[in-house]
Amino acid sequence: MTWLVPLPVIMPLLGAATTLLMFRRPRVQRAISVSVLTATLVVSAVLLVLSADGPLVVAVGGWPVPLGIVLVADRLATLMLVVSAAVTLCVLLYSIGQGGTDGDEEHPLSVYHPTYLILTAGVTNAFLSGDLFNLYVGFEILLAASYVLITLGGTENRIRAGTTYVVVSLLSSVIFLAGIGLIYAATGTLNMAQLVERLDALPDGVRMVLQGMLLLAFGIKAAIFPLSAWLPDSYPTAPAPVTAVFAGLLTKVGVYAIIRTETLLFPGGRVADLLMVAALSTMLVGILGAVAQSDLKRLLSFTLVSHIGYLLFGVGLASRAGIAAAVFYTLHHIIVQTTLFLVAGLIERRGGSTALDRLGGLARTAPVLAILFFLPALNLAGIPPFSGFLGKLGLIQAGVDDGAVLSWLLVGGSALTSLLTLYALARVWNLAFWRSPVSTDATPLRSSRLMVTPTAALVAAGVVLTLAAGPLYSLTDTVAGDLLERTPYVEAVLP
């Protein structure tokens, strides 16, 4: 069944080409896009089941390892594939509903669908990559598509934010490419399974430089403080579905790359203290920025930055419990953060703005919208028994078990960040939903069922994460064991 492995990359690329040819037929474009992403979700779920017996490996083009490109579908990659495919499908349905309601005036669908599918192909390629250069290619595919999506509509704010985003992304790509060149010069290979053996033979100083280059590149992409200032200024200006998929997936691809390289290529926690300090700084600076915001989209952007710190906390612990909790929290955060940005889009349509001082009374006038915000907000804040609470509890327990001073500081920082997240989201609830309506001259826009339904599906997915937390956490624990052992991955690629 290894022939299934390339399909999550190939199908969106072929779909993008087909939708581009059908640029004069938007209905056909929509049908193709939905069909492709549905098939990608099904294939990803099948790969997740098959990966339980060990990583599935495909040498693209039949070239022997390590000469050719290798795609590896292990448990971590397939977990990320399933969640990302579900999220991209829901966001696509939301955007189709929004385009149909607005008459496609803001979003040129002839460009949107091919670009969106290319973005999906870049994400899936990054998750499946078995060598560093193909990982770089995956990043560049998704970034090239994101440059188009973030500037859709061509308004002044979007062009300005898109320019900042492009400059920062190009900088991280240059650093990543330079790191790849140094790694190849030092080891003679970019295949990650082969690098496991060759990097261990390098002097410690050389390994530290190579590790630092990759962490710097991935840190920018993952929006880790102090490399995160670009995100709150870039994401809120894009259309709601674009912001949602960016918030849910793009930063998580950077986090995935950190988890993969730190466990596979640079094990042992040599930079654990640096990662822990960065995690604590990201948590606190991000959430303090969120508390200070008066606009819902900017507030959610800062909470996005803040909660990346939780993921980095687990990686910095470099323990099985820490990695397992980090992977679990990554899956939770992809779903919940995407949901909240979609809800923010619905709020903007209903209230005419995302400025909190111009919103009010939504709990009375839009009770369904209130529920759609309330549940993921509690989940993100880590209120029991939601999956956000379980993920944070797992990280805190792993930190307590570690017992180091920095670990205890992260435990306290995690609790404080969770409380401030609750405060920030409770403030949104009080101002936008609970208080009396505010009189404005904004004209509410209708939200179609095709916008509300996928949003509700993601809210339900967040609840399902809670109900299935036991089996899912056991799976992420197995993933963490495989990552730290490294042997199953290496033997699958280099039998």
Side-chain angles (χ1 to χ4, degrees):
M1 301 294 287
T2 54
W3 59 272
L4 289 172
V5 176
L7 291 185
V9 181
I10 294 174
M11 289 191 298
L13 289 177
L14 293 178
T18 307
T19 52
L20 186 61
L21 293 175
M22 298 293 175
F23 68 96
R24 295 184 184 277
R25 304 181 67 181
R27 290 186 178 180
V28 176
Q29 280 190 324
R30 291 193 290 267
I32 292 173
S33 298
V34 172
S35 300
V36 166
L37 291 185
T38 302
T40 301
L41 175 58
V42 172
V43 171
S44 300
V46 173
L47 288 174
L48 176 60
V49 174
L50 295 176
S51 65
D53 297 327
L56 303 173
V57 181
V58 169
V60 178
W63 290 92
V65 179
L67 297 179
I69 295 173
V70 177
L71 300 179
V72 184
D74 62 352
R75 285 188 178 96
L76 175 62
T78 53
L79 262 178
M80 299 295 289
L81 281 177
V82 170
V83 176
S84 63
V87 165
T88 51
L89 177 59
C90 288
V91 173
L92 176 67
L93 293 174
Y94 180 102
S95 65
I96 290 174
Q98 178 173 302
T101 303
D102 296 343
D104 296 336
E105 295 175 356
E106 187 178 2
H107 310 298
L109 292 183
S110 61
V111 176
Y112 178 78
H113 285 279
T115 308
Y116 191 84
L117 291 175
I118 290 173
L119 177 80
T120 304
V123 171
T124 55
N125 184 62
F127 290 150
L128 291 170
S129 292
D131 66 88
L132 288 178
F133 188 77
N134 194 38
L135 178 61
Y136 170 80
V137 172
F139 273 119
E140 291 308 297
I141 291 173
L142 68 90
L143 288 175
S146 66
Y147 300 154
V148 177
L149 293 174
I150 202 170
T151 55
L152 280 179
T155 63
E156 180 181 352
N157 288 335
R158 290 178 183 174
I159 297 297
R160 183 175 62 250
T163 302
T164 302
Y165 176 78
V166 168
V167 170
V168 173
S169 299
L170 288 177
L171 175 62
S172 67
S173 297
V174 169
I175 295 172
F176 187 16
L177 189 59
I180 288 174
L182 292 176
I183 289 174
Y184 187 78
T187 63
T189 185
L190 294 175
N191 182 279
M192 286 194 273
Q194 200 170 27
L195 284 172
V196 171
E197 303 170 352
R198 297 193 180 185
L199 284 173
D200 289 341
L202 295 178
D204 288 342
V206 176
R207 293 182 79 253
M208 189 65 70
V209 171
L210 300 179
Q211 186 176 9
M213 292 284 287
L214 294 183
L215 277 178
L216 182 59
F218 299 149
I220 296 174
K221 297 180 186 299
I224 296 170
F225 181 83
L227 310 172
S228 58
W230 59 272
L231 191 149
D233 290 330
S234 300
Y235 283 12
T237 62
V242 173
T243 304
V245 78
F246 280 18
L249 292 181
L250 263 61
T251 52
K252 306 310 180 300
V253 176
V255 171
Y256 168 84
I258 291 175
I259 294 174
R260 178 69 75 186
T261 55
E262 287 301 302
T263 55
L264 184 63
L265 305 184
F266 304 102
R270 291 179 176 85
V271 294
D273 289 349
L274 175 62
L275 291 175
M276 302 280 268
V277 171
L280 182 61
S281 303
T282 303
M283 284 184 193
L284 296 181
V285 172
I287 199 58
L288 290 175
V291 169
Q293 299 306 309
S294 59
D295 181 88
L296 177 57
K297 284 187 176 181
R298 285 186 61 84
L299 185 150
L300 292 176
S301 297
F302 275 101
T303 61
L304 168 62
V305 171
S306 175
H307 286 243
I308 295 297
Y310 285 102
L311 312 180
L312 205 59
F313 179 19
V315 179
L317 289 171
S319 64
R320 179 165 180 159
I323 298 295
V327 174
F328 180 87
Y329 200 81
T330 300
L331 304 177
H332 147 84
H333 197 246
I334 290 174
I335 293 175
V336 172
Q337 198 74 54
T338 303
T339 306
L340 285 171
F341 272 102
L342 291 182
V343 173
L346 296 176
I347 291 174
E348 184 175 19
R349 298 176 68 85
R350 181 72 184 192
S353 174
T354 54
L356 296 179
D357 58 355
R358 301 182 62 185
L359 296 171
L362 292 178
R364 184 179 308 166
T365 60
V368 174
L369 183 57
I371 295 173
L372 293 179
F373 175 82
F374 186 72
L375 291 177
L378 292 181
N379 206 342
L380 185 67
I383 301 300
F386 287 105
S387 57
F389 168 76
L390 300 174
K392 291 173 183 176
L393 181 61
L395 289 167
I396 289 174
Q397 287 178 335
V400 171
D401 292 340
D402 185 74
V405 175
L406 270 176
S407 299
W408 279 105
L409 287 175
L410 261 298
V411 168
S414 299
L416 178 61
T417 300
S418 189
L419 289 173
L420 290 177
T421 302
L422 178 61
Y423 167 77
L425 295 175
R427 181 166 162 264
V428 174
W429 176 263
N430 288 333
L431 294 178
F433 292 91
W434 203 246
R435 69 174 175 178
S436 300
V438 178
S439 59
T440 64
D441 55 357
T443 302
L445 298 177
R446 185 176 65 87
S447 296
S448 67
R449 289 184 180 179
L450 196 53
M451 298 173 67
V452 176
T453 301
T455 307
L458 286 178
V459 173
V463 176
V464 169
L465 278 183
T466 302
L467 299 176
L472 182 59
Y473 211 102
S474 297
L475 179 58
T476 60
D477 183 69
T478 305
V479 168
D482 292 343
L483 290 173
L484 294 175
E485 187 178 353
R486 302 196 295 171
T487 304
Y489 187 98
V490 175
E491 289 184 346
V493 179
L494 302 172

